[in-house]
Amino acid sequence: MVSAVVLAAGLGTRMKSRLPKVMHRLGRKTLIECVLDTAFSEADEVVVVTGYRRELVEDFLRKRYPSVKFAVQHEQLGTAHAVKSALPEVEGDVVIIMPGDMPFVRRESLRRLVEALDEGFAGAVLVAELSEPAGYGRVVEKNGCVLKIVEEADATEEEKRIKRVNTGVYAFKKDLLEKALDKVKNDNRKGEYYLTDVVEILSSSGYKIKAVEAVRREGMGINSRRQLAEAYRERCREKAYQLMEQGVTILSPENTFIDEDVEVGIDTVIHPFVFIEGKTVIGEGCEIKPFSVIRDSRISDNVVINEHSVIEGAVVDEGVSIGPFARIRPETRLMKGSKIGNFVEVKKSVIGENSKANHLAYIGDAEVGSGVNIGAGTITCNYDGVKKHKTVIEDGVFIGSDTQLVAPVRVGKGALIGAGSTITKDVPPDSLAITRAPMKVLKGRGIEDYRKRKYGIKE
Ligand code: UD1
Ligand code: CA
């Protein structure tokens, strides 16, 4: 059985934050979620070591990972002390250790660490080669094995020149780890119990520790807000390049922000300053124009999303056109060929095939049939101050501009609503409904006449 121990008890002094470091977000996901997703993909159980503001971290994680276990480290005396606090909770005979601030570590790397133990190594360390290794522990190797890890603060000038660094991710046989931890002392620059000392303790007793090579960004840790920003940029760029290789056009990868799990079909064109987040799937041949945000949505093929549109929790069928400046809210379905234009908000509604709401409308809790035309300024009055009510607009209806539909209300198939109407009762199919004060025309009573009468102003 393989257990993972995730270290998340520290405050993260260098972040200068009231929030624990692992609760900072890399895009939409917190650092700790990035790490736990990977941990759970490979380990049979995951123990998170918490300390600083532990209730906050634990409540957050318990909701998302019901099977997660916690171990408390009351005082943050160092990474070795943190792991020691976790061991009573650990059931596996193999222990993977992951810092909570290394969000890029991959499942395959965890697997390779565990495989090293099957090959007979007592432990394995994930090692990254960095051009700027400052701040990381340096890995000292001999004959293909890791001899020891030296922390930056304790390193000699020569050791500081080593570019191979410790990612802080390891796998150990639990019994050996337990014994080695008991021998770790805090006689170093920081006065902390370093987990890294376990490596030297084991190797000097004749045990072999393997260096497993990290790939790409795995060695990037987050200790400061600057590193958080750099990591975010790197991740966005990597995702953009990956999509481009698969046939997506991304005009400016540095300025496009796409979450890891997003899928995009070929020949879709993504303009700069677009955010695509969460579990979003986008089809082929779409065009997504600048400043749009798409979150947790499914977008089919050949959809055009114009500038400054926000789409969340929606399903959008083929050939739909959205925006500019449209807002599509959760539980909305826009069916094939429909069109939602500028300054239109749609919430929890179905818009049928080829129906249009081109300008300035609010459509909430509505069921709109196919071929419907919703005029500018139309509002579904769905909320009576207590409850939400439904508006049904059947196929082929034409709603004149500036109409209020006071829900619950149904407009029958093929009906016509005159502009400026307030519809409070159901409209039967194929009828005209209009509520409008009759218009008067008074000749000779223009603006000049009005000024003269009221203020005595002459021409
Ligand atoms: C650690 C490693 C360093 C490695 C680097 C890579 C040690 C001594 N050093 O340094 O070799 O290059 O990670 O990421 O291990 N934590 C606790 N309890 C504690 C101290 C830390 O839970 O008492 C947690 C922190 O919340 C954090 C993680 O352990 O998530 C790493 O701690 P951090 O202080 O960032 O270690 P580094 O100085 O980066
Ligand atoms: Ca760190």
Side-chain angles (χ1 to χ4, degrees), residues 311-343:
I311 300 167
E312 187 166 3
V315 177
V316 177
D317 294 353
E318 215 186 311
V320 165
S321 165
I322 296 173
F325 297 98
R327 179 164 182 220
I328 313 295
R329 291 171 53 195
E331 293 182 62
T332 291
R333 165 108 186 251
L334 305 180
M335 293 173 77
K336 203 168 161 184
S338 58
K339 197 163 179 281
I340 299 298
N342 37 230
F343 305 106

Side-chain angles (χ1 to χ4, degrees), residues 360-401:
L360 299 158
Y362 172 62
I363 304 167
D365 304 294
E367 208 181 287
V368 177
S370 62
V372 169
N373 197 314
I374 295 178
T378 296
I379 290 169
T380 55
C381 310
N382 58 330
Y383 185 50
D384 62 8
V386 180
K387 283 187 179 165
K388 299 275 166 67
H389 300 281
K390 203 165 164 182
T391 300
V392 180
I393 302 173
E394 294 181 357
D395 294 349
V397 164
F398 187 99
I399 307 230
S401 296

Side-chain angles (χ1 to χ4, degrees), residues 7-12 14 21-22 49 73 75-82 99-102 135-138 149-151 165-168 170 190 192-196 221-223:
L7 308 184
L11 147 75
R14 291 161 278 184
K21 174 167 67 180
V22 296
V49 183
Q73 186 195 20
E75 259 184 296
Q76 283 70 65
L77 302 178
T79 43
H81 180 257
D101 63 350
M102 299 288 288
Y136 291 87
R138 306 299 206 283
I149 297 169
V150 192
E151 288 308 294
V165 305
N166 170 28
T167 59
Y170 325 77
K190 287 192 180 161
E192 285 183 9
Y193 295 91
Y194 289 164
L195 179 59
T196 44
I222 314 295
N223 294 314

Side-chain angles (χ1 to χ4, degrees), residues 15 27-28 34 36 43 61 75 77 81 87 116 121 124 141 175 193 215 241 292 312 330 400 420:
M15 294 298 278
R28 282 244 294 169
C34 298
L36 281 205
L61 293 180
E75 259 184 296
L77 302 178
H81 180 257
L87 281 188
F121 289 91
E141 287 158 291
D175 50 345
Y193 295 91
V215 285
Y241 288 167
S292 287
E312 187 166 3

